[in-house]
Amino acid sequence: MLTRRNLLKTLGGAAALATHSQIWAAAHLAWEKPIGLEIYTVRDLFAKDPAGTLKQVAAAGYKEVEFNPDIKPSLMNSYLRDAGLSAPSSYVDHPKTIDNWKKTVDLAKDYGVHYVVVGDNPRLDADAWKRRAELYNQCGKVAQDAGMQFCYHAHYNEYARVDKTSGYDIMLSRCDAKLLNMEMDVFWATYAGVDPLHYWKLHPGRFPLLHVKDLYKNVAVNPHEDPPASGPNPFAPVGQGRIDWRLLFAHVGLAGTKHIFVEQDICNMPPLEAIKTSFDYLKKLRLN
């Protein structure tokens, strides 16, 4: 007989099973933390209407952004609050001198970001990269003293071979691991013919930030040059290209990744549509 007590027991068991299923599914999500967007993806829209664009970014599902500090801090911070977004990271100008860098860090503090990221894709010899590593150690100390983490974002020239090594390897080996971390752009690493897992295994924990965008399968690339302006666009929404995201996200713990930012330099569809496509893929991606 289905008594009230038996019914409650049945419903309770079903609820427990449902809760267990939800926990199991969540535990196998590829990325359980907030998904971020690099504002460069929607740069044209943002230049015309920064406040409105941030609200549209939030409406697409994003919770975090990374941005270039072009708008004064008080205004940018108000735009972020109104959109319900946070900004853990800012992509800033490459340091010219330490005094110049100190001013950059002081400005970044006013935005409340934790990570200050630079990157310029230079072609340098090994000695020049070693000098850069010395500069980056100093920059990292300035950022650390201000309560922030200094990071470098590579494109493809950093991976080029120089004296049996590369600029990327020189930075990682000659910079203090506490003073220089990396924001790996998975697209550019793949474009350069580099396996991200190789570096994550060699330098675990040094990749707190990732840029995630895909590389179209049918587009040929030259790992030593920019994609040709007249050629097919290699930049794809996440999940629509050749990168094995399930494999990479299975190892983000090894990388030490704390934040991911979708970025797409060029879109074959309206940028807001492209960022929604990437978000929906990442939100549903599971490891099993």
Side-chain angles (χ1 to χ4, degrees):
M1 178 184 295
L2 184 60
T3 65
R4 182 175 182 273
R5 183 176 181 180
N6 289 339
L7 176 62
L8 290 175
K9 287 176 63 177
T10 301
L11 292 176
L17 180 61
T19 300
H20 175 76
S21 297
Q22 290 168 356
I23 293 173
W24 184 89
H28 288 76
L29 285 173
W31 183 253
E32 299 176 10
K33 299 176 184 177
I35 299 171
L37 178 75
E38 168 48 69
I39 291 299
Y40 183 72
T41 311
V42 292
R43 56 194 176 276
D44 294 336
L45 296 170
F46 185 78
K48 296 175 183 177
D49 181 11
T53 301
L54 289 174
K55 289 178 180 178
Q56 289 178 296
V57 167
Y62 292 89
K63 300 297 184 184
E64 299 180 339
V65 295
E66 180 181 75
F67 64 95
N68 186 283
D70 292 330
I71 298 175
K72 66 180 183 179
S74 60
L75 197 55
M76 184 66 179
N77 290 340
S78 70
Y79 291 159
L80 290 168
R81 283 194 302 272
D82 289 346
L85 296 168
S86 62
S89 175
S90 182
Y91 196 106
V92 301
D93 291 338
H94 190 271
K96 299 177 179 64
T97 65
I98 285 298
D99 287 339
N100 162 262
W101 178 246
K102 288 178 180 177
K103 294 177 182 177
T104 298
V105 169
D106 285 341
L107 176 62
K109 285 177 64 176
D110 292 336
Y111 291 100
V113 299
H114 179 67
Y115 299 94
V116 278
V117 184
V118 304
D120 62 343
N121 197 36
R123 291 183 178 178
L124 304 173
D125 61 24
D127 288 337
W129 275 116
K130 291 173 184 177
R131 290 193 295 271
R132 276 212 172 194
E134 293 176 7
L135 172 64
Y136 289 165
N137 274 323
Q138 297 175 57
C139 291
K141 185 63 168 62
V142 170
Q144 185 183 71
D145 290 344
M148 288 180 281
Q149 176 65 58
F150 179 49
C151 295
Y152 187 89
H153 174 291
H155 292 81
Y156 55 87
N157 282 323
E158 292 89 346
Y159 298 110
R161 304 307 294 173
V162 289
D163 290 358
K164 298 181 180 180
T165 182
S166 71
Y168 206 70
D169 289 285
I170 289 171
M171 284 188 285
L172 283 165
S173 63
R174 297 179 75 93
C175 290
D176 188 311
K178 294 180 180 178
L179 300 180
L180 179 71
N181 282 181
M182 294 297 189
E183 177 176 63
M184 177 175 277
D185 188 308
V186 177
F187 170 95
W188 286 117
T190 305
Y191 185 96
V194 167
D195 179 4
L197 292 179
H198 166 75
Y199 281 105
W200 298 358
K201 291 174 183 177
L202 282 180
H203 303 278
R206 287 188 75 175
F207 303 85
L209 310 176
L210 293 183
H211 274 188
V212 292
K213 55 178 175 275
D214 223 326
L215 176 58
Y216 279 119
K217 296 177 182 178
N218 60 343
V219 176
V221 299
N222 178 350
H224 308 296
E225 299 289 346
D226 283 339
S230 59
N233 172 30
F235 302 102
V238 183
Q240 296 198 355
R242 67 183 72 172
I243 296 174
D244 187 344
W245 294 105
R246 185 171 283 105
L247 174 64
L248 292 181
F249 276 106
H251 294 85
V252 289
L254 178 66
T257 303
K258 303 289 192 299
H259 305 274
I260 64 170
F261 300 102
V262 168
E263 184 188 38
Q264 197 171 338
D265 302 42
I266 302 171
C267 303
N268 287 345
M269 61 185 76
L272 290 173
E273 183 180 337
I275 69 170
K276 180 62 174 170
T277 299
S278 291
F279 178 87
D280 289 346
Y281 174 81
L282 289 167
K283 191 67 176 177
K284 297 174 183 176
L285 182 64
R286 283 170 167 73
L287 299 181
N288 56 309

